[in-house]
Amino acid sequence: MIGVYKKLDKYDPTHTTSLRNRFARQMRKRFDFLYSLVRKAIVVDDCFALKEEKNLLTMVGEAGLTPGHRAYEFMTSQEKLQAFMEWIREQEKRHVLQVTRIPQLGSAREEAWTNLYIDSAYRAGVARAREQMGMLPSLAGKIGEAPVSFLGPFHMDRVGLLYLRVFTDLQGITEAMDTLISRALAQGMAEGRNPRQIAQIMNKIITGGGGDLSMTDTLGRFIPAKRRAEILARTEIIRAHHLATIQEYRNFGVLGVKVKAEWRTAGDDRVCDECAEMEGKIFTLDEIEFMIPAHPQCRCIALPLDVTDQK
């Protein structure tokens, strides 16, 4: 197989670096924007009324995005916390968990913004599988006979599950972030912290900025929501690409072609020990289907090994 794949881009065997970067960049932008709203609400608008009032001007939130100037002034601490968490969850729905209603005949369907990237990765996986299958001896001159199968039931079922998986995992990230925000706000208000200090804590939780505030998990690590979302984006592009290739390899069975899968890594010094041990190993399609990605931000790929003539 080395001769067949000698021109393979070793750094990016899936050829999805650009797509992974775009998806991750969009995740970062959305969490950065969320924090910008949080900072404006807490520091500029002083929604918790923690600063001494210097004027009687009452301002509303910017374009309905922030609660407004000293919006929670006459609430108890518990009411302030509840109102703020309701507001931030609404902003998460608008900007991080954005779902668009698309008109169509019958009833409108809802589509998450993340679907675009998963769809692109899946289509790229189908195309890559067809490219690699075209190099196999048993398909010499026959690749054009294979139907374009992205819209087939097997592919559509898998891509639909991927849409749901990514959106659900992103929801999980925001829910974990909300738990930290609620806890940090309650503690900050109880300790009498000023708006800038509270905003700094929010920055740490949401984006990872704002300095070290000793916020760690039970293993001594802290991964901010934005970073977790970026990792999710890069990992799920690989998953979508991989599942597409495996299903497309199966689809070539209609032409009587049988393949197994050869595990290939990016082949550089960033490859982890776990994946390095898998380099060149051969698996059935059923075996390898859920093995890649092997870990978050895995870059491995399964390439076809022609076993049509083997008994």
Side-chain angles (χ1 to χ4, degrees), residues 5-6 46 53 58 66-67 94 128 164 167 176 225-226 307:
Y5 301 117
K6 64 181 179 180
D46 189 23
E53 181 68 295
T58 299
T66 57
R94 290 184 184 183
R128 183 62 186 278
L164 179 61
F167 190 76
K226 182 173 76 170
V307 294

Side-chain angles (χ1 to χ4, degrees), residues 32-131:
D32 283 340
F33 183 70
L34 179 66
Y35 171 66
S36 73
L37 295 179
V38 168
R39 188 184 186 283
K40 185 179 187 304
I42 295 174
V43 178
V44 179
D45 294 347
D46 189 23
C47 65
F48 296 117
L50 299 177
K51 297 186 289 188
E52 181 181 351
E53 181 68 295
K54 295 182 180 180
N55 61 66
L56 298 178
L57 178 63
T58 299
M59 296 175 288
V60 297
E62 180 182 359
L65 295 180
T66 57
H69 183 62
R70 300 175 72 87
Y72 311 139
E73 182 171 7
F74 300 108
M75 296 181 180
T76 65
S77 294
Q78 183 61 36
E79 289 171 340
K80 290 179 179 181
L81 179 59
Q82 182 178 347
F84 185 85
M85 293 310 301
E86 289 176 357
W87 169 77
I88 197 170
R89 290 188 184 105
E90 180 60 32
Q91 303 318 307
E92 290 165 1
K93 289 179 182 179
R94 290 184 184 183
H95 308 295
V96 176
L97 301 171
Q98 181 184 17
V99 174
T100 304
R101 290 183 61 84
I102 302 176
Q104 61 179 20
L105 293 177
S107 59
R109 62 185 175 89
E110 295 186 339
E111 185 166 305
W113 70 270
T114 52
N115 290 6
L116 171 65
Y117 296 92
I118 299 305
D119 182 270
S120 296
Y122 201 95
R123 289 178 183 272
V126 171
R128 183 62 186 278
R130 294 174 71 85
E131 173 190 340

Side-chain angles (χ1 to χ4, degrees), residues 15 84 244 249:
H15 297 179
F84 185 85
Y249 294 161

Side-chain angles (χ1 to χ4, degrees), residues 109-238:
R109 62 185 175 89
E110 295 186 339
E111 185 166 305
W113 70 270
T114 52
N115 290 6
L116 171 65
Y117 296 92
I118 299 305
D119 182 270
S120 296
Y122 201 95
R123 289 178 183 272
V126 171
R128 183 62 186 278
R130 294 174 71 85
E131 173 190 340
Q132 297 300 325
M133 291 293 287
M135 300 180 184
L136 301 181
S138 59
L139 272 174
K142 298 180 181 179
I143 191 67
E145 299 176 20
V148 177
S149 53
F150 176 74
L151 296 179
F154 293 109
H155 279 312
M156 292 305 293
D157 178 62
R158 280 159 178 73
V159 80
L161 291 174
L162 286 166
Y163 290 160
L164 179 61
R165 176 193 178 98
V166 173
F167 190 76
T168 301
D169 285 354
L170 188 55
Q171 281 182 315
I173 290 172
T174 61
E175 288 169 1
M177 179 182 72
D178 290 345
T179 298
L180 286 175
I181 287 174
S182 179
R183 189 180 303 159
L185 276 176
Q187 182 176 345
M189 288 190 289
E191 295 174 349
R193 291 178 178 257
N194 64 49
R196 291 188 182 279
Q197 289 174 324
I198 292 178
Q200 185 183 32
I201 297 172
M202 298 301 101
N203 193 13
K204 181 68 175 178
I205 294 170
I206 299 171
T207 73
D212 183 6
L213 299 176
S214 299
M215 299 178 62
T216 59
D217 62 15
T218 56
L219 298 178
R221 305 168 302 183
F222 177 71
I223 304 177
K226 182 173 76 170
R227 178 58 180 156
R228 289 185 61 196
E230 181 183 1
I231 292 171
L232 172 69
R234 295 185 183 281
T235 304
E236 294 307 313
I237 290 295
I238 295 296

